[in-house]
Amino acid sequence: MLLHKKRLTYYFLASFSFILGCTLTLFVLHPIALKANSSPNVHNIRLLVLVLSAVKNLNRRDAIRETWAQTKEDVKILFVVSKDKSLNAEKLIHEDLLEVDEKDEYKLLTHKIIASFSSVYHINFDYLLKCDDDSFVNMPSVVNELEHMPKKRFYWGYFDGSASIKRKGKFKETQWVACDRYLPYALGGGYVLSKDLIIYIVKNRDYLSLFASEDVSVGAWLSPLNITRKHDRRFDTEWYSRGCQNDYLVTHKQNPEMMRLHWSHIIRTGKMCDKEFKNMASYEYNWSVMPSKCCVRNLSLIP
């Protein structure tokens, strides 16, 4: 009798497990499979955005999620962060972290950027925008502008060709021996590369020198190539923000409060700035002269 009861118990448990397994397959695993099929590898993304972020900067990532990251389906935004257990809770809530095996140190930013390029180059996208977690992006305007840009061999941002080599501080460069100036590069607060240039960098990464600054490195890697370099004053991406202009596509050095303020203005008025102002003059890059004479600031230029 006892043996019979045990068999009934085992039969009940086996039946229950079978039913539970079928239920999980239908209602849990099946949606996950659908989600995987709708990944960026299947559907083409117009613009892939990589935001370099430190693990500790959750407040900045949340500010971006609440503001300019609310974009259309053809834009994908990923935060590039170092692998860290403290991110586990954030990963459960958000699906926008791209973890790389590099520490959060400025001197390793170039390693971080090439690791992130290597992680995403297989995704179907047309352009990649790299920016920092203190950059505010006018995403609709950037996407609209891309409709008129070259599809290949395209490098877009705010270029500098006159910067002297940094020999001390966090920007200290010990590997640069090419010349006494950095080669023309788009400043790291935000720049756009066409997909083919990402592939070029990834495929040749074992031959590339990794300099202290990631934006300098990208400029050097692409320097010998026959590509379109578009200097655009609407990229406010220098070490210090030039102010607030409604024409800006990307504006750098923005804290979370400033991002939310810009976003609230956009929601209310369609414009980023409550009041336009200028902190510093911009320049139009002169490609017809030597790089050391390329970038003369002009107070009359707006933005």
Side-chain angles (χ1 to χ4, degrees):
M1 186 68 176
L2 181 61
L3 181 61
H4 179 66
K5 287 183 177 180
K6 284 185 177 180
R7 286 177 177 173
L8 286 175
T9 301
Y10 292 150
Y11 176 78
F12 173 79
L13 291 174
S15 300
F16 178 76
S17 298
F18 175 77
I19 295 171
L20 180 61
C22 292
T23 303
L24 288 172
T25 300
L26 286 172
F27 295 101
V28 178
L29 298 182
H30 184 59
I32 290 175
L34 289 177
K35 189 173 185 179
N37 289 335
S38 62
S39 70
N41 292 313
V42 177
H43 299 293
N44 189 66
I45 296 170
R46 183 65 171 160
L47 178 64
L48 177 63
V49 183
L50 296 185
V51 184
L52 260 61
S53 184
V55 171
K56 64 181 181 180
N57 289 349
L58 174 60
N59 62 331
R60 295 186 183 183
R61 292 192 292 276
D62 280 344
I64 291 174
R65 291 176 180 124
E66 295 167 14
T67 58
W68 62 264
Q70 300 181 36
T71 60
K72 299 185 295 184
E73 291 183 358
D74 57 352
V75 176
K76 176 72 173 177
I77 298 174
L78 296 173
F79 294 95
V80 181
V81 292
S82 301
K83 288 186 177 180
D84 194 283
K85 292 181 180 178
S86 66
L87 295 170
N88 289 343
E90 187 177 354
K91 286 191 292 185
L92 288 175
I93 301 172
H94 305 285
E95 298 181 345
D96 57 6
L97 297 184
L98 175 61
E99 296 180 283
V100 295
D101 286 317
E102 299 293 345
K103 295 180 180 179
D104 279 338
E105 298 180 21
Y106 184 85
K107 64 181 180 180
L108 295 177
L109 279 183
T110 303
H111 297 258
K112 201 171 185 179
I113 200 68
I114 204 165
S116 64
F117 286 178
S118 300
S119 297
V120 303
Y121 81 100
H122 62 282
I123 295 175
N124 293 323
F125 64 88
D126 296 329
Y127 301 94
L128 184 147
L129 166 63
K130 178 271 163 183
C131 64
D132 296 333
D133 61 10
D134 59 349
S135 297
F136 186 93
V137 181
N138 188 337
M139 192 59 68
S141 295
V142 171
V143 173
N144 289 339
E145 288 289 321
L146 287 173
E147 294 296 327
H148 313 290
M149 300 301 178
K151 301 296 189 294
K152 294 182 179 297
R153 300 183 180 186
F154 183 55
Y155 185 16
W156 181 28
Y158 192 83
F159 282 80
D160 189 4
S162 62
S164 299
I165 313 305
K166 303 298 186 294
R167 296 303 184 187
K168 58 183 179 180
K170 73 174 184 177
F171 301 104
K172 181 180 179 180
E173 187 57 71
T174 59
Q175 302 298 319
W176 188 276
V177 295
C179 51
D180 60 351
R181 304 269 180 168
Y182 291 124
L183 297 173
Y185 66 97
L187 299 177
Y191 55 82
V192 174
L193 298 170
S194 54
K195 170 71 177 291
D196 58 326
L197 297 185
I198 299 297
I199 294 174
Y200 169 83
I201 290 172
V202 172
K203 295 295 186 181
N204 292 281
R205 61 185 180 272
D206 292 338
Y207 297 92
L208 301 176
S209 296
L210 305 184
F211 302 110
S213 298
E214 53 85 15
D215 50 2
V216 167
S217 296
V218 171
W221 298 338
L222 301 178
S223 62
L225 303 188
N226 180 22
I227 62 176
T228 299
R229 295 172 179 82
K230 181 175 177 59
H231 175 80
D232 197 324
R233 299 193 310 272
R234 294 174 298 174
F235 282 72
D236 173 34
T237 50
E238 297 187 70
W239 59 275
Y240 179 71
S241 175
R242 298 194 302 275
C244 191
Q245 299 290 328
N246 290 318
D247 288 340
Y248 281 161
L249 299 175
V250 181
T251 182
H252 195 207
K253 299 300 180 182
Q254 307 295 304
N255 62 41
E257 291 72 27
M258 295 165 73
M259 289 191 188
R260 292 186 175 95
L261 189 61
H262 290 327
W263 185 250
S264 68
H265 290 155
I266 290 174
I267 296 299
R268 292 199 326 267
T269 68
K271 297 180 179 180
M272 183 177 70
C273 308
D274 181 37
K275 183 178 181 181
E276 293 184 313
F277 64 94
K278 183 188 295 187
N279 290 325
M280 181 169 58
S282 62
Y283 54 81
E284 194 60 64
Y285 197 106
N286 187 350
W287 298 101
S288 66
V289 300
M290 295 299 291
S292 60
K293 302 183 183 302
C294 67
C295 310
V296 179
R297 296 190 186 275
N298 187 338
L299 288 172
S300 66
L301 292 177
I302 298 176

